[in-house]
Structures are given as structure tokens and as C-alpha cells.
Amino acid sequence: MTDFTRSPREMDLEARTQKFIRDVVIPYEKDPRLGAHGPSPELVAELRDHARAAGLLAPQVPEEWGGYGLNHRETATVLRASGYSLLGPLAMNCSAPDEGNMHLLDKVATPAQKARFLAPLAAGTVRSAFLMTEPDGGAGSDPDMLSTTARLDGDHWVVNGRKWLITGATGASFGIVMARTGDHATMFLTDMNAKGIVIERVLDTMDVAIPGGHSVIRLEGLRVPASQVLGAANEGFRYAQVRLAPARLTHCMRWWGAAQRAHDIAVDYACRRKAFGKPLIEHEGVGFMLARNEVELLQTRLLIDYTAWTLDEGSKATTESSMAKMSSAETLFQIVDRCVQVLGGMGITADTQVSQIFTEIRAFRIYDGPTEVHLWSLARRLQRRHGKTAAGWQP
Ligand SMILES: Cc1cc2nc3c(=O)[nH]c(=O)nc-3n(C[C@H](O)[C@H](O)[C@H](O)COP(=O)(O)OP(=O)(O)OC[C@H]3O[C@@H](n4cnc5c(N)ncnc54)[C@H](O)[C@@H]3O)c2cc1C
């Protein structure tokens, strides 16, 4: 049986988050400290002070690290509410890549690593980066193409390679670097100001809401003490799986909130604005778009909740999270696109949040596995399942 029963603390946190986003965060959406490569460090600190005061900082992390130790279902409810403003997850310290990194550190870091790296990250006083993707024919959709290498030299590892599209690297305190160690991969914890880390440039990108933007980074003889191997050496690909499903799903949660915001703005416009003698929503072409949005928001929410429940039941939810990510990215993008259309010319202006949500959500169809890669891998599973079950039998 699938159980979606809502806990009292989940409902309380949802209501408090909704109020916090509406009363405190949304007024910051026109703040001049929002630059082309994300909000300034001062703005991030100010937003987090507000979240801290409201008891809403990093609600998803275990109590030991200052959160509420929410399960995945409860996290889904709270993160959806946080996503109602593009600044909400950042304010509440539950945005990418920090939120995924906190989850990974909590699951695999040593006690000393948790004290040094996880504690300040969960407290919202530092930011982090996750360095996996590579230019120059290295790892992208296919992680097996990982070309950054690390070799042991005494009690240090020496890392060489290039990474790109690394979110939040500028201004991050530390990073988790994925490198090849022989036939395996290993994750390393490194200070981002270490000698050997060169930020070549911050890319100009469609999305601008994440602090530090997305960087191209050269790792040039980076020396990492053996004590800063995250967890254990040669476990990098396995740890990537530990991060993968929950981190994919939290993206779906946050973007669901943003799509709901765009939908609410579009419904409001369609009910007030008239054309040809009646409100836009009474024209079937508009009303059906909004009705379809309503259905698809519910479908997506249920898919997120189902996958979260599967994780809470102890499953790795590899297939479910792949389906949820693929479906959410495509569906939420289409919902927001319809909202732009319903708003007419207003939809492409910065007078509402809809145009920014539309621009920001586009990349979600690419990161954490492009849509086509999820479909391809689901099709491979189908083929394998057919190979196992269809011997001698045809439908
Ligand atoms: C906004 C943003 C933030 C990011 N942040 C980070 C970060 O912090 N850290 C990090 O390490 N990486 C980050 N990335 C990188 C992201 O993980 C990669 O973009 C993603 O894994 C895809 O890799 P790629 O860009 O190299 O695309 P490629 O591997 O070059 O693929 C290009 C396209 O080919 C198609 N394709 C590939 N394989 C298949 C297949 N098997 N079947 C069908 N079609 C296929 C897909 O349409 C895909 O979009 C970020 C990316 C974006 C856009």
C-alpha cells in the first residue's frame, strides 16, 4: 500500500514555509544584488538570517545538523513550498548543489569530515560545489568517460583534469571532486581556494538564480590529503548513486513549486483580463491550457510523493527517480510555457516572475540526466526485462 498520510510537523512546516516565502522572500525578488551570476554573498547571508530566525534553515537535514530530520515525503512537501520563489530554496539552504552535497556527506563522510565540512554547510554559513562534469570529451551524460585522474603520492592524492558547468564554484568554501583512480572513481573533499584549483571562467548562462553561476575549472596538480578522500577510496561511482536519486527528486520538488507559482499568476491574469467581451479563462483555448496545467501539477506531485515514499520504504528508487525526473522536467517546463502563452505579451516581460521561471527551468531538462538519457536507460531496462521473462512466450 502506498501511504501519503501527512504528518502534523509536515503540515506545520508547509504552512510556515508558505508564509515565509510570501511575506519575507518574495519582496527580495527585485533586489539589485541579484546579478548575472546569481545573488551576491551579502544577499544570500541576509536571506539565510531570515530563514534561521523563522526556524526554516535546512529543514531537511538530520536534527544533529540543525534541521528537523525530515523523511523524503515530508521533505517533498516543504521543498515544494520553498520553490514558490526562485530565491526560496537558497534562503532556506535546501538548494542545489548544497542540499545534495549535505545528503551525501551525511551518508558517507567520516565523523571528522562531517564536523569540518557538513556542519558549516548545514548551518548555511558556507557554500559548496560538486565537480563531476568535464569538457574536452570527458564525463557528461556518460560518467564512464570520466577523465580527471588522481594518483597517490605519499599521504596525498594528486588530482589533474578539467571540469565545467560547476554550479556555485565561485565563492564556495569547498568542493567534492570526482576523479578516476585506476578502474574506479574516488570523491575528494577540497578547499576551493587550494593551490591547484584554477577557475578559468564563469560561464554566461540562461539561468542566473544560483550564487556563483557555473564555472569552468582546471585542476592542476591539486594535492588532497588522504584524510580528505570522501568516505573511502574507489567508491566514487557507488557514492554518486547515493547522491543521485534523492538529489534528482529534490530538483523536482523545488521546480514544482516554481511551476505552481507561474500557474497561479496565469490563472489570476486569465480571470481578470478580458478579450472579445469576456475573461480570457472563458475562452476554451485559454481555459483548457490552465485546466491541463492543474491536472499535470497534480500528476507530477503524486509522482514525486510516490518516489519519495519509495525512498522512505528503503528502496534506492533508481528507476522511480529516473521516471520522476524525466517526467517532471518535461511536464513542468510545458506548464510554465503555457503560462507564458496565457499572459500574452506580459509573459515575456519581467513584470511577473513567469518569464524568469521559464528561463530558469529550461536547464532542468538537461542536468541530473538529460530527458533522452533517462528514456534510453528506461528502454534498456525494458529490453533486459523482456530478455528475462519472454523466453518461449509472446504477448
Ligand atoms: C544549469 C546546469 C548546472 C549544472 N551543474 C553541474 C554541477 O554543479 N556539477 C557537475 O558536475 N555538472 C553540472 N552540470 C552538468 C550536467 O550534469 C550535464 O550537463 C549533464 O550530465 C549532461 O552532460 P553534457 O552536458 O556533457 O551533455 P552530453 O553528454 O554532451 O549530451 C548532449 C545531449 O545528447 C543527448 N544524449 C546523450 N546521451 C544520450 C543517450 N544515451 N540517448 C539519447 N540521447 C543522448 C541528450 O539529449 C543530451 O542532452 C550542470 C548542467 C547545467 C545545465
Side-chain angles (χ1 to χ4, degrees), residues 130 132-133 140-141 165-167 207 214 363 366-367 370 372-373 376:
F130 188 74
M132 166 100 166
T133 308
S141 300
L165 293 163
I166 306 308
T167 304
D207 63 328
H214 312 286
I366 296 169
Y367 55 72
E372 297 72 26
V373 175
W376 168 76

Side-chain angles (χ1 to χ4, degrees), residues 96-97 101 128-135 138-143 145 163-169 176 178 205-207 210 213-215 243 251 360 362-377 380:
N101 289 345
S128 64
F130 188 74
L131 292 80
M132 166 100 166
T133 308
E134 299 169 335
S141 300
D142 182 357
M145 290 163 70
K163 301 283 181 183
W164 88 315
L165 293 163
I166 306 308
T167 304
I176 300 173
M178 182 94 156
T205 54
M206 285 169 73
D207 63 328
I210 302 184
H214 312 286
S215 292
R243 190 182 188 279
H251 275 307
E360 299 278 337
R362 179 62 183 83
F364 183 35
R365 294 174 60 207
I366 296 169
Y367 55 72
D368 272 17
T371 294
E372 297 72 26
V373 175
H374 287 290
L375 291 172
W376 168 76
S377 113
R380 281 202 311 171

